[in-house]
Amino acid sequence: MKLGIDISKKGILDKLNAFVESFQQLQLGEYENGTITYDEEKEDEINALLEKCFLAD
């Protein structure tokens, strides 16, 4: 799955950084050079984290 993010929106980079930091802390997969890789079994947890970081305002 690829996720496109419009970084021109105010605050989006802060949300993206929060997502990546949480992703790494929760050990949901690997993040390197702007690429995230993960096992399918973690997909529900990642989707919940995406919702928390990007949809909660």
Side-chain angles (χ1 to χ4, degrees):
M1 173 176 76
K2 287 194 175 198
L3 174 66
I5 298 173
D6 180 1
I7 61 169
S8 67
K9 292 185 177 181
K10 185 178 180 179
I12 199 72
L13 289 178
D14 292 335
K15 291 179 179 185
L16 182 57
N17 286 333
F19 170 78
V20 170
E21 185 176 314
S22 294
F23 180 87
Q24 291 174 319
Q25 287 177 351
L26 296 170
Q27 299 178 342
L28 297 175
E30 299 292 324
Y31 175 78
E32 187 175 331
N33 297 325
T35 300
I36 290 175
T37 54
Y38 60 91
D39 293 328
E40 283 184 27
E41 62 197 32
K42 301 279 187 174
E43 194 166 329
D44 289 340
E45 292 175 77
I46 294 168
N47 286 335
L49 182 60
L50 283 168
E51 287 181 16
K52 178 182 174 188
C53 290
F54 290 97
L55 299 180
D57 279 327

